C-alpha cells in the first residue's frame, strides 16, 4: 500500500504533463465504456463507487473493472488485456490464480474451511517458514496488518515499554502505531492523512529516518522502546535501500538496548525465497508477512525466536489467552493454511525465484535505458523481483528524500499512459513486480511503452 507523495521537481514541464494527461483521460474514457457503466452503477451503492475507499485513487475518471485474471495478465470488462506489473501490490506475486494453489483451494473448500482447530497443513507451513526464514516458531493471521498488530502488542507486553520505533514514511498496514512521521524539526507527529487516531501517535511511537543510525540510537537509549518494526528496505515511498552496515547497526543497537527487532517481509519477499532476511542474513527476533504467501487467499504469519516465545508464554495465563487482543476467529483457518502450504511449496519455489529475479533486472535495465536515452535525472532501484524508479538522480537514502522526489501529476500520467497501452503499474508508485508467470515479452512491452512516453515528454526536459 502506498503513501501520498507531494508534488516535486522532476525536470519535466508541468504544462506538457497536463496536456498529455488530458489526452490520456480522453482515450481512457473512450475505450472503457463498460467500466464506466459499472462505475456509475457502483456509485449508487458504494461510496466513491469502489469496494474500498482508496481505490478511487487509481488514475482515470473511474477504475478499470476486472473481468478475469490469470498468470501475469488480466482482462477488463471492456475486453482489454493487461500485463499486470502491480499484481495486487504483492498479493498476487505468485501470478493470478496459480494452478497448484487453485487445485488445493478447490479441494479444501469441499473439505472444510474453518473450524478453530489446527490441521496438518499448519505444521507443514510452519516447518517450511522455519526452513526459509530461520525463525523457529510461527503463528498465523489473516493479513500482514494483523501480524504487525499482534507482534506490537506482544512486544509491549513482554518488555513493559510503551513505544515502538518505525521509519519515517514506512507503511506496515492499517496499524495505529505506524501512522506517524517526522516534522521539519525531527519530532514524531501524526502522519498526514491519519484517519481517527486513537491517541496522539507520539504517545506510542518514535519515528527515525531510514539509514539514520544516530537517530536510532537516541530512540533506543530512551528506554521507552519495546520494538523496532522495520521493512528491510522501504518499499512504500519508492524503494529506499539500506546503506551498507545499517542492518548490522540496527541489530547491534536493538540487542544492546534489549529492544525486539521485528522485520516486516511482506514486500521484501521479492528479494528471494527467504525474503531480504534470507538473502542478507538478517537476524530478527520476530518477522511478519502476508499478502503473497497463500497465493492471494487471505493469510498472514509471524515468526519468533524461542526466547520471545518463552517470554510470551511466561506472561500470559491460559484463561486469558483468547481475550487479550491476539487472535481472530478465522486466523489459522484450514483454507488459508492449505493455500499457504501449496503456494510456498509448489509456487513460490527457489526455481520460481530463479526466473523472477532476472526479470526484475530486465525491467530495471529497460527503465535505466529509457532514463539514460532521454538524459533524465531519474534513477531506478532494484529489490529482487521488484523495481521502482524515482524522479531524482541519486537513489534516495531516506523516506523524506524519496517523498520529496515524488510528483503526483507526472505519476498519474505515467500510470494512465501505460494503462491505456495494456500495462498496470503499482498505483501511487512507479513500481513493478515480477511473478513466476511474467515473461520477458511482458517486461519488454513495458520498456517499449515507457520509452515511448519519455520520447513524448522529453521535448520539455529543462537544461
Ligand atoms: C510492508 C507492508 N507490511 C504490511 C502491509 C499490510 O498488508 P495488508 O494490507 O495485506 O494487511 C503492507 C501493505 O501494503 C506492507 O506494504
Amino acid at each position: 500500500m502506498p503513501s501520498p507523495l507531494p508534488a516535486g521537481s522532476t525536470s519535466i514541464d508541468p504544462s506538457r504533463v497536463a496536456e498529455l494527461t488530458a489526452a490520456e483521460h480522453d482515450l481512457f474514457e473512450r475505450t472503457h465504456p463498460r467500466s464506466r457503466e459499472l462505475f456509475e452503477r457502483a456509485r449508487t451503492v458504494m461510496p466513491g463507487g469502489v469496494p474500498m475507499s482508496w481505490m478511487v485513487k487509481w488514475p482515470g475518471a473511474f477504475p478499470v473493472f476486472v473481468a478475469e485474471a490469470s498468470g501475469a495478465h488480466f482482462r477488463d470488462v471492456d475486453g482489454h488485456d493487461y500485463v499486470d506489473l502491480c499484481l495486487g501490490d504483492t498479493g498476487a506475486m505468485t501470478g493470478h490464480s496459480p494452478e497448484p494453489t487453485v487445485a488445493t483451494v478447490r479441494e479444501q473448500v469441499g473439505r472444510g474451511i474453518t473450524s478453530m482447530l489446527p490441521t496438518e497443513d499448519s505444521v507443514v507451513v510452519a516447518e517450511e517458514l522455519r526452513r526459509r526464514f530461520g525463525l523457529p516458531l510461527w503463528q498465523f493471521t489473516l493479513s500482514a496488518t494483523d501480524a504487525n498488530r499482534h507482534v506490537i502488542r506482544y512486544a509491549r507486553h513482554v518488555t513493559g515499554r510503551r513505544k515502538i520505533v518505525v521509519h519515517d514514511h514506512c507503511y506496515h498496514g492499517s496499524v495505529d502505531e505506524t501512522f506517524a512521521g517526522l516534522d521539519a524539526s525531527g519530532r514524531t507527529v501524526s502522519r498526514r492523512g491519519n484517519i481517527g487516531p486513537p491517541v496522539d501517535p507520539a504517545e506510542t511511537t518514535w519515528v527515525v529516518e531510514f539509514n539514520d543510525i544516530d537517530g536510532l540510537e537516541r530512540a533506543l537509549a530512551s528506554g521507552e522502546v519495546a520494538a523496532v518494526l522495520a521493512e528491510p528496505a522501504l518499499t512504500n515511498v519508492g524503494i529506499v535501500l539500506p546503506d551498507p552496515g545499517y542492518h548490522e547497526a540496527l541489530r547491534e543497537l536493538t540487542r544492546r538496548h534489549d529492544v525486539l527487532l521485528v522485520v516486516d517481509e511482506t514486500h521484501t519477499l521479492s528479494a528471494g525465497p527467504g525474503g531480504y532476511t534470507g538473502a542478507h542474513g538478517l537476524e530478527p527476533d520476530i518477522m511478519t508477512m502476508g499478502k503473497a504467501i497463500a497465493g492471494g487467499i487471505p493469510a498472514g504469519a509471524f515468526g519468533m525466536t524461542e526466547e520471545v516465545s518463552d517470554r510470551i508464554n511466561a506472561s500470559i495465563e491460559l484463561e486469558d489467552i483468547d481475550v487479550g487482543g491476539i487472535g481472530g476467529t478465522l486466523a489459522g483457518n484450514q483454507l488459508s493454511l492449505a493455500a499457504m502450504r501449496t503456494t510456498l511449496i509448489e509456487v513460490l519455489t527457489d526455481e520460481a525465484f530463479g526466473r523472477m529475479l532476472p526479470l526484475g533486472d530486465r525491467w530495471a535495465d529497460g527503465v535505466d535505458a529509457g532514463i539514460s536515452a532521454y538524459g533524465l535525472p531519474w534513477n531506478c532501484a532494484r529489490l529482487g523481483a521488484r523495481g521502482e524508479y524515482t524522479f531524482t538522480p541519486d537513489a534516495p537514502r531516506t523516506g523524506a528524500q524519496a517523498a520529496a522526489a515524488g510528483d503526483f501529476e507526472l505519476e498519474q500520467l505515467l500510470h494512465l499512459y501505460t494503462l491505456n497501452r495494456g500495462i498496470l503499474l503499482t498505483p501511487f508508485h512507479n513500481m513493478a513486480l515480477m511473478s513466476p508467470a511474467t515473461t520477458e515479452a511482458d517486461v519488454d512491452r513495458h520498456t517499449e511503452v515507457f520509452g515511448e512516453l519519455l520520447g513524448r515528454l522529453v521535448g520539455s526536459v529543462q537544461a
Side-chain angles (χ1 to χ4, degrees):
M1 279 289 293
S3 62
L5 295 176
S9 165
T10 56
S11 321
I12 301 286
D13 177 0
S15 65
R16 181 75 180 134
V17 172
E19 188 189 327
L20 286 171
T21 303
E24 292 305 315
H25 272 292
D26 186 50
L27 178 60
F28 179 78
E29 288 174 44
R30 275 190 287 113
T31 50
H32 295 82
R34 179 81 184 115
S35 273
R36 178 197 278 281
E37 216 174 278
L38 280 177
F39 178 65
E40 295 302 340
R41 203 171 125 204
R43 281 211 294 195
T44 65
V45 283
M46 292 183 280
V50 287
M52 180 40 70
S53 53
W54 51 259
M55 289 187 196
V56 296
K57 212 176 153 191
W58 282 99
F62 46 86
V64 154
F65 280 68
V66 176
E68 105 182 56
S70 169
H73 287 239
F74 73 92
R75 197 166 49 76
D76 72 12
V77 290
D78 287 291
H80 306 295
D81 176 74
Y82 299 84
V83 177
D84 191 352
L85 296 175
C86 167
L87 295 169
D89 192 18
T90 308
M93 181 171 135
T94 51
H96 295 286
S97 298
E99 224 171 84
T101 307
V102 169
T104 294
V105 167
R106 280 211 172 99
E107 198 193 326
Q108 187 62 49
V109 161
R111 297 197 304 142
I113 296 168
T114 188
S115 60
M116 297 212 302
L117 285 167
T119 54
E120 184 176 344
D121 287 336
S122 63
V123 184
V124 176
V125 172
E127 286 168 350
E128 174 63 9
L129 292 173
R130 177 176 59 190
R131 184 189 74 78
R132 286 187 186 216
F133 296 99
L135 286 174
L137 297 164
W138 291 84
Q139 293 279 272
F140 299 100
T141 62
L142 285 183
S143 68
T145 296
D146 274 352
N148 283 327
R149 282 197 188 121
H150 290 359
V151 303
I152 288 171
R153 292 187 88 102
Y154 274 142
R156 280 197 300 251
H157 184 73
V158 300
T159 62
R161 300 176 184 169
R162 68 194 174 112
K163 287 193 178 175
I164 63 156
V165 163
V166 294
H167 288 119
D168 194 31
H169 291 281
C170 70
Y171 186 79
H172 296 281
S174 50
V175 177
D176 289 322
E177 292 87 343
T178 63
F179 283 87
L182 291 174
D183 71 6
S185 63
R187 274 182 321 143
T188 296
V189 292
S190 191
R191 188 172 172 158
R192 178 180 149 192
N194 190 358
I195 298 169
V199 294
D200 178 351
E203 298 277 320
T204 60
T205 308
W206 191 314
V207 179
V208 300
E209 271 295 6
F210 200 70
N211 282 321
D212 177 6
I213 296 173
D214 292 343
L216 184 65
E217 180 148 29
R218 269 195 304 281
L220 301 192
S222 71
E224 294 182 318
V225 177
V228 175
L229 172 60
E231 276 194 284
L234 296 182
T235 65
N236 285 289
V237 60
I239 291 174
V240 182
L241 296 171
D243 287 346
Y246 185 61
H247 278 294
E248 288 77 359
L250 178 58
R251 184 61 279 192
E252 194 279 312
L253 286 169
T254 43
R255 284 210 173 106
R256 194 191 315 157
H257 294 284
D258 192 23
V259 170
L260 293 168
L261 176 57
V262 183
V263 167
D264 180 345
E265 283 278 7
T266 306
H267 275 186
T268 46
L269 272 178
S270 64
Y276 195 97
T277 294
H280 296 269
L282 307 189
E283 294 176 5
D285 301 300
I286 300 174
M287 186 183 289
T288 58
M289 64 190 69
K291 295 203 186 189
I293 57 176
I297 296 292
F302 56 97
M304 65 190 93
T305 59
E306 302 267 3
E307 195 212 329
V308 171
S309 171
D310 289 347
R311 287 170 81 179
I312 293 171
N313 290 341
S315 61
I316 297 175
E317 298 291 333
L318 179 62
E319 202 179 331
D320 301 328
I321 210 155
D322 57 333
V323 290
I326 306 287
T329 315
L330 299 177
N333 72 73
Q334 285 141 270
L335 184 64
S336 295
L337 266 308
M340 237 186 285
R341 175 181 181 159
T342 300
T343 302
L344 290 172
I345 292 171
E346 296 182 43
V347 183
L348 289 177
T349 57
D350 291 2
E351 297 72 43
F353 276 96
R355 291 196 302 282
M356 292 152 71
L357 302 185
L359 285 174
D361 276 329
R362 189 180 182 96
W363 183 86
D365 287 345
V367 170
D368 279 340
I371 290 172
S372 82
Y374 292 99
L376 286 163
W378 301 356
N379 81 92
C380 185
R382 299 167 189 232
L383 191 51
R386 189 188 297 281
E388 170 139 16
Y389 53 90
T390 316
F391 309 128
T392 181
D394 301 317
R397 288 188 51 248
T398 67
Q401 286 172 5
D407 184 320
F408 185 70
E409 277 72 31
L410 180 58
E411 282 167 9
Q412 293 288 98
L413 169 61
L414 280 153
H415 284 257
L416 196 54
Y417 190 93
T418 45
L419 191 72
N420 277 334
R421 286 149 190 84
I423 296 164
L424 187 77
L425 287 167
T426 308
F428 337 128
H429 286 256
N430 313 310
M431 190 159 81
L433 179 64
M434 309 300 134
S435 75
T438 308
T439 64
E440 292 186 350
D442 293 334
V443 172
D444 295 347
R445 174 77 187 132
H446 175 267
T447 303
E448 187 190 332
V449 171
F450 180 69
E452 183 188 293
L453 175 57
L454 295 190
R456 298 181 70 180
L457 281 168
V458 85
S460 58
V461 172
Q462 291 159 359

